[in-house]
């Protein structure tokens, strides 16, 4: 077995520093009293108060959360159904085409996905706004949700479903009482992944949005072009804290379920 030497430790530290030092600096400067983000003017929570009074930014944040909630739910439902079809039916007419269409957004550049959806909405004379962004994000996230659930179904014990059917359960009852509870951690993970992808997206939303449907990443990008302010740092810090709390909470729940299943 190879020893974990000083070089490996230095490489590990350098890698973590490269990834997380910018985030630490962003969080620290969100408490900067000075408007200049490169000059430390003392500790202050002034910019968090200013953020709460910034109605355009708050409206964009609320819109982004609503889009993420709806699109993640839609993507998870459709992704779970697609995963069930691909995992349970190994051979059926059009399986390759179906699988390719579901997985295409994973490898396709976001610019192409956004442009193709824009052309679709224009050709269908669909007014762009909240629902077009929801549809676009659900389409983009569906493949990710499908992969997560399909990985769980690959090791699923089908004898449990067969036992439920032998006891008189209908296919719907079997799925609701046996299959879904067993694959629920994967479904929850798929939903969280789809929610995060929607929350973070800028490119696809830029193509598919319309007047009055500006998401938070778009609002932040527009503001950054005029210069970074501690108010933007405060908004990003709140997002980081929310994601960190969600990830830690999900990890604790999964750990509790794993311990309970022993």
């Amino acid at each position: 077995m190879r020893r974990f030497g000083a070089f490996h430790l230095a490489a590990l530290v350098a890698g973590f520093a490269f990834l997380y030092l910018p985030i630490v600096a962003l969080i620290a400067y969100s408490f900067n009293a000075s408007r200049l983000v490169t000059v430390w003017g003392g500790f202050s929570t002034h910019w968090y108060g200013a953020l709460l009074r910034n109605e355009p930014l708050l409206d964009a944040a609320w819109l982004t959360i609503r889009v993420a909630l709806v699109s993640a739910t839609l993507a998870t439902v459709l992704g779970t159904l697609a995963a069930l079809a691909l995992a349970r039916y190994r051979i059926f007419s059009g399986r390759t085409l179906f699988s390719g269409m579901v997985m295409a957004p994973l490898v396709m550049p976001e610019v192409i996905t956004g442009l193709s959806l824009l052309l679709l909405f224009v050709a269908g004379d669909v007014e762009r706004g909240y629902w077009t962004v929801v549809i676009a994000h659900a389409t983009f996230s569906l493949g990710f949700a499908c992969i997560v659930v399909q990985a769980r179904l690959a090791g699923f014990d089908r004898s449990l479903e067969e036992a439920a059917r032998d006891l008189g359960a209908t296919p719907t009852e079997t799925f609701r009482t046996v299959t879904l509870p067993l694959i629920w951690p994967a479904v929850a993970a798929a939903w969280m992944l789809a929610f995060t992808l929607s929350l973070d997206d800028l490119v696809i939303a830029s193509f598919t949005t319309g007047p009055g449907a500006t998401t938070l990443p778009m609002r932040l990008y527009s503001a950054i072009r005029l210069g970074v302010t501690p108010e933007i740092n405060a908004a990003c810090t709140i997002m980081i804290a929310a994601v960190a709390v969600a990830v830690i909470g999900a990890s604790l729940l999964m750990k509790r379920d794993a311990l309970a299943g022993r």
Side-chain angles (χ1 to χ4, degrees):
M1 183 181 294
R2 291 185 177 181
R3 295 180 58 188
F4 191 79
F7 174 78
H8 300 88
L9 179 61
L12 183 64
V13 171
F16 278 110
F18 177 79
L19 291 173
Y20 294 108
L21 276 182
I23 298 178
V24 173
L26 183 147
I27 295 173
Y29 277 102
S30 69
F31 296 98
N32 186 12
S34 173
R35 177 174 287 274
L36 301 175
V37 294
T38 57
V39 178
W40 181 257
F43 182 86
S44 175
T45 58
H46 166 73
W47 300 109
Y48 287 89
L51 177 64
L52 295 177
R53 294 188 295 270
N54 191 328
E55 292 187 3
L57 203 61
L58 294 178
D59 291 341
W62 174 235
L63 174 70
T64 302
I65 293 174
R66 288 191 290 125
V67 169
L69 288 172
V70 177
S71 64
T73 303
L74 184 60
T76 303
V77 172
L78 296 178
T80 301
L81 294 177
L84 285 169
L86 293 173
R88 298 295 171 79
Y89 304 101
R90 300 292 182 179
I91 300 176
F92 61 86
S93 179
R95 186 183 193 280
T96 303
L97 177 61
F98 176 74
S99 177
M101 292 178 65
V102 171
M103 304 302 176
L106 276 69
V107 296
M108 190 177 299
E110 292 187 18
V111 173
I112 297 178
T113 302
L115 180 59
S116 60
L117 288 170
L118 172 62
L119 295 176
L120 175 65
F121 294 141
V122 171
D125 196 21
V126 178
E127 183 179 356
R128 295 186 299 280
Y130 170 80
W131 285 109
T132 54
V133 178
V134 168
I135 294 172
H137 283 185
T139 303
F140 171 67
S141 305
L142 190 152
F144 293 92
C146 179
I147 283 184
V148 174
V149 178
Q150 190 177 0
R152 176 66 183 88
L153 289 170
F156 188 83
D157 187 0
R158 295 291 302 277
S159 63
L160 299 174
E161 293 180 331
E162 294 172 358
R165 295 296 305 275
D166 291 340
L167 293 173
T170 64
T172 302
E173 291 174 341
T174 301
F175 176 79
R176 180 173 54 84
T177 59
V178 178
T179 307
L180 186 58
L182 292 175
I183 66 172
W184 180 251
V187 174
W191 187 90
M192 290 184 62
L193 179 59
F195 181 84
T196 304
L197 291 171
S198 175
L199 203 68
D200 180 65
D201 177 70
L202 170 65
V203 177
I204 295 177
S206 300
F207 280 98
T208 57
T209 191
T214 302
T215 62
L216 183 60
M218 294 174 59
R219 179 72 65 181
L220 292 177
Y221 180 72
S222 300
I224 287 173
R225 288 188 298 177
L226 301 177
V228 180
T229 64
E231 189 175 351
I232 296 177
N233 291 342
C236 296
T237 300
I238 292 176
M239 292 179 64
I240 293 171
V243 172
V245 170
V247 170
I248 294 173
S251 300
L252 293 176
L253 288 175
M254 293 179 66
K255 184 177 180 180
R256 186 192 66 180
D257 293 340
L259 292 176
R262 291 183 178 179

